[in-house]
Amino acid sequence: MIYINPTILVLISCIQSLQQSTNIAKLPFAKGAAHNDWLRRHEDHCLQDTRVELRKEIMDWCDDPNSKCIFWLNGMAGTGKSTISRTIAQELAAKKRLAASFFFTRGKKDISHSGMFFTTIAAQLANSLPVLRTSITDAIDNNAHIFQQGPREQWNQLILNPLKNAPTQSIQLVVVIDALDECDSMEDIQLILLLLAEAKDLETVRIKVFLTSRPEISIFDGFRQLSGEAYQDFILHNIPLDTVNADISTFFVQKLSPLKAKHGLGTPWPDEGIIEQLVKRAAGLFIYAATTLRFIQDGIDGPEEQLSLVLSASKSSQSATKHLDGIYTTLLQHSVLGKRGDEQEYEQECEKLAGRFRQVVGSLVVMFNIMPARNLAQLLQIPPKMVSRTLDSLRSVLNVPENESQPVRLFHLSFRDFLLDSERCSDSRFQIDEEERHTSLFRKCMSHISQLQENICDLWGPGVLITEIPSDVIQRSIPSHVQYACRYWLDHWRLGNPLAVREDIKTIRQFLEQHFLHWLQGLSLIGEVSNGVHVLIALEKILSVSCNAYQFLQEIVLT
């Protein structure tokens, strides 16, 4: 019998554990995906006395070993789906039942598409269920290209097979996926549903999926491909209105009460009649309640006057969407344009302020990634104070961090939808022309990347590894707004009616002639060099619709 020193065994175990941790750390992880990500720290959860019956039904589904694999909570925009998702994820995490969470967000880089969906889920699974680490690590060791392969391969090798082979006692865990409809590919959405449904056949470690989305056609089509045994659904906007109204009433009472003491308001404030009016106007939309609350709390005037503005808005509106549009319109007119003074001077000031709003906020709602206010000012090439003043007046609808290094975000996608829809945004001063904004951002991006130079980081010689370059050197040489321009210039041109302006095509040609290699070097320094290939392929496709495209490209190649 061979004797092995226990110290050696411990050392071997430590080395194996370190190797596993190293491999798990290689998994591409979508920033902002998890329910408890630092970027989501200010997002709302359900109040203790709201959504009680629904939350109980969801948790009963989680606990029932015979329940279906997928619970689909679908509802219209503004009905509170994401708030419920965060609350359920938090409750599951407290019970150590949460396997993973992924919150899709349209237009926000890694969490707007499925590119890192399965690798992010796998990384969280390895942390929530350590017994899977060996299998996931082996999958990475055995397939060096797994991160570049398709969703099916990643699902099978990084998630499904490790779960099938898990050496553990029977256990039920839940994956929470929020806003699947905000994934940017209909085909990917349907494939994700198809693959997730395969979890219904797991036996030892059973994975369930709690999923929310709007009731869009692509989601319905995806579920139609599944058997009825794979999922159950719950239509959020079909909950009796009396139940929803009771929850919204509780929300207003609990959230408005602290303002009474803070501002020394009389009692009762607000009285039952006012609460009833607010609930009626909300018409079942929690986003109306949340936006109204922020408007009352953060407005320029005191809460009493802010509340009066809310109650006077859109009195004739009947539908839930009309009520929400009314509060958005009132909020913008009051917060952006301010109070009326001399008529002529007021109109001139309004035109200037509305133009600034369309430039700053209009850019925010069409951009492909979020960024801090100071970087937005650099991207738009306008003074930082102008951006700050514009954003500060809109804290009811925008999350504007006190820390200037943190990105500005929309509180809810419905505000974006409102601004881009000319029929909903009745005040033309605030309507955002999407094509015009994309075209403007394309030109700003071109301005920035045309300033790139050879050896922009002043590297000390050829053959330097990216890992050898300090991150602060890269950030200083290629700041965030220039990185954004390098990544997304073509996307903005593509969505801004690209072939309409010949001067823009000439600008691209000049850029490719003079700064093509500088741009590729910039992409490599920020870890996005593969993006350059996709950009060139997409550029050729766009130009192919023009009869002069072939000549255009040929001239570039021959230059």
Side-chain angles (χ1 to χ4, degrees):
M1 183 175 179
I2 300 175
Y3 173 77
I4 301 178
N5 190 313
T7 304
I8 300 296
L9 293 175
V10 172
L11 182 59
I12 292 173
S13 177
C14 289
I15 292 173
Q16 291 175 337
S17 178
L18 180 60
Q19 185 174 1
Q20 288 179 1
S21 298
T22 301
N23 270 359
I24 297 301
K26 292 178 183 177
L27 288 165
F29 196 95
K31 185 177 181 182
H35 78 284
N36 59 348
D37 189 274
W38 191 82
L39 290 175
R40 299 184 180 277
R41 66 196 184 281
H42 296 310
E43 294 181 349
D44 291 332
H45 293 75
C46 296
L47 296 176
Q48 184 176 355
D49 298 326
T50 62
R51 302 292 200 183
V52 175
E53 293 182 9
L54 175 58
R55 286 157 57 190
K56 182 180 183 303
E57 180 169 343
I58 296 169
M59 295 307 292
D60 287 346
W61 164 81
C62 293
D63 295 334
D64 183 359
N66 299 314
S67 61
K68 297 181 180 180
C69 175
I70 300 175
F71 189 113
W72 176 31
L73 180 69
N74 75 79
M76 299 182 301
T79 49
K81 299 182 297 297
S82 293
T83 302
I84 294 169
S85 294
R86 283 189 293 272
T87 305
I88 294 300
Q90 184 182 50
E91 292 180 9
L92 289 168
K95 296 179 178 181
K96 300 192 182 302
R97 298 279 309 284
L98 181 68
S101 59
F102 198 105
F103 281 56
F104 282 98
T105 307
R106 186 173 297 156
K108 299 299 180 285
K109 201 183 176 185
D110 296 344
I111 53 177
S112 67
H113 57 81
S114 66
M116 297 184 188
F117 176 75
F118 286 114
T119 56
T120 300
I121 297 296
Q124 293 182 65
L125 266 174
N127 289 323
S128 58
L129 200 59
V131 73
L132 299 179
R133 287 191 169 203
T134 299
S135 297
I136 295 175
T137 297
D138 289 345
I140 297 171
D141 285 336
N142 295 334
N143 187 350
H145 302 291
I146 186 64
F147 304 148
Q148 286 77 49
Q149 293 177 344
R152 186 175 295 278
E153 288 77 11
Q154 292 183 359
W155 162 253
N156 285 330
Q157 297 181 42
L158 296 174
I159 300 175
L160 189 62
N161 290 338
L163 287 168
K164 284 180 178 178
N165 302 322
T168 184
Q169 60 184 0
S170 180
I171 186 174
Q172 282 195 144
L173 297 175
V174 181
V175 174
V176 175
I177 301 171
D178 183 65
L180 181 60
D181 56 291
E182 294 185 27
C183 177
D184 62 8
S185 167
M186 180 179 68
E187 291 79 9
D188 286 352
I189 288 173
Q190 295 180 357
L191 180 57
I192 285 173
L193 290 174
L194 196 65
L195 295 175
L196 291 174
E198 294 178 2
K200 67 181 173 56
D201 298 322
L202 291 169
E203 296 179 358
T204 308
V205 179
R206 191 176 181 203
I207 292 293
K208 294 183 175 182
V209 180
F210 175 72
L211 184 151
T212 74
S213 77
R214 297 187 192 188
E216 296 189 354
I217 295 298
S218 59
I219 309 288
F220 276 112
D221 287 345
F223 275 108
R224 287 193 189 105
Q225 298 177 39
L226 308 183
S227 68
E229 298 177 357
Y231 76 96
Q232 69 183 71
D233 61 357
F234 188 102
I235 302 174
L236 191 56
H237 49 267
N238 281 356
I239 294 177
L241 188 58
D242 288 346
T243 302
V244 178
N245 284 346
D247 286 342
I248 293 177
S249 178
T250 299
F251 174 86
F252 276 125
V253 170
Q254 291 191 20
K255 293 293 188 177
L256 288 175
S257 291
L259 292 178
K260 183 166 33 180
K262 180 179 179 181
H263 294 273
L265 302 176
T267 302
W269 187 91
D271 61 33
E272 290 184 7
I274 290 178
I275 294 293
E276 287 179 6
Q277 289 185 61
L278 292 173
V279 170
K280 183 177 180 181
R281 287 172 179 273
L285 291 183
F286 275 84
I287 184 58
Y288 177 96
T291 304
T292 297
L293 175 70
R294 288 192 294 267
F295 181 64
I296 294 170
Q297 286 177 326
D298 302 330
I300 300 172
D301 302 309
E304 288 181 298
E305 186 169 342
Q306 296 289 110
L307 179 57
S308 297
L309 286 169
V310 170
L311 295 175
S312 63
S314 302
K315 289 184 177 180
S316 61
S317 298
Q318 297 298 321
S319 71
T321 301
K322 288 292 186 182
H323 280 300
L324 183 60
D325 295 347
I327 190 64
Y328 280 148
T329 301
T330 299
L331 184 153
L332 292 176
Q333 290 172 343
H334 184 72
S335 300
V336 175
L337 305 182
K339 296 183 177 180
R340 185 177 297 272
D342 175 81
E343 191 68 28
Q344 184 175 357
E345 290 183 1
Y346 177 74
E347 291 300 326
Q348 293 173 349
E349 184 69 9
C350 283
E351 185 177 347
K352 182 179 74 172
L353 293 172
R356 183 189 299 169
F357 169 85
R358 293 192 299 272
Q359 181 181 24
V360 175
V361 180
S363 297
L364 271 178
V365 301
V366 303
M367 286 172 62
F368 298 100
N369 200 12
I370 54 179
M371 63 175 58
R374 62 188 181 190
N375 296 122
L376 178 62
Q378 291 172 310
L379 178 67
L380 298 179
Q381 297 174 320
I382 58 179
K385 287 186 177 179
M386 181 182 296
V387 172
S388 297
R389 282 197 295 268
T390 302
L391 299 179
D392 284 343
S393 66
L394 293 167
R395 292 178 181 269
S396 301
V397 287
L398 300 177
N399 185 349
V400 185
E402 296 298 330
N403 185 340
E404 294 183 353
S405 66
Q406 299 304 315
V408 179
R409 296 184 296 121
L410 302 182
F411 274 120
H412 198 269
L413 198 62
S414 61
F415 184 55
R416 177 186 187 276
D417 296 341
F418 164 77
L419 293 175
L420 296 177
D421 189 335
S422 59
E423 293 186 5
R424 291 183 57 188
C425 185
S426 58
D427 191 329
S428 60
R429 294 173 295 186
F430 303 114
Q431 292 173 8
I432 304 301
D433 184 324
E434 192 167 5
E435 283 190 2
E436 185 275 330
R437 274 292 89 210
H438 279 298
T439 299
S440 177
L441 283 167
F442 156 72
R443 292 169 183 167
K444 296 297 183 183
C445 288
M446 280 285 101
S447 174
H448 290 299
I449 59 178
S450 295
Q451 296 175 29
L452 293 172
Q453 302 174 2
E454 184 178 354
N455 193 18
I456 193 169
C457 287
D458 294 324
L459 303 182
W460 47 91
V464 177
L465 297 175
I466 296 294
T467 54
E468 296 176 344
I469 307 172
S471 58
D472 62 315
V473 172
I474 296 176
Q475 184 63 38
R476 185 169 59 251
S477 303
I478 313 176
S480 297
H481 65 286
V482 179
Q483 293 185 25
Y484 180 93
C486 286
R487 291 186 181 109
Y488 299 115
W489 65 269
L490 184 76
D491 293 301
H492 285 301
W493 186 58
R494 176 174 57 85
L495 295 172
N497 197 12
L499 298 177
V501 183
R502 188 168 180 81
E503 286 302 313
D504 288 338
I505 301 178
K506 290 181 179 179
T507 299
I508 294 175
R509 174 177 175 172
Q510 184 177 12
F511 155 70
L512 292 174
E513 289 173 341
Q514 299 178 8
H515 298 286
F516 177 68
L517 293 179
H518 304 155
W519 170 61
L520 285 182
Q521 183 189 47
L523 287 175
S524 68
L525 288 167
I526 63 176
E528 295 278 349
V529 69
S530 61
N531 185 54
V533 177
H534 297 300
V535 166
L536 292 177
I537 294 172
L539 177 61
E540 184 177 11
K541 287 182 179 179
I542 295 172
L543 291 172
S544 66
V545 304
S546 168
C547 60
N548 296 321
Y550 178 78
Q551 179 183 356
F552 177 91
L553 291 174
Q554 188 178 49
E555 289 176 356
I556 292 174
V557 172
L558 295 175
T559 299

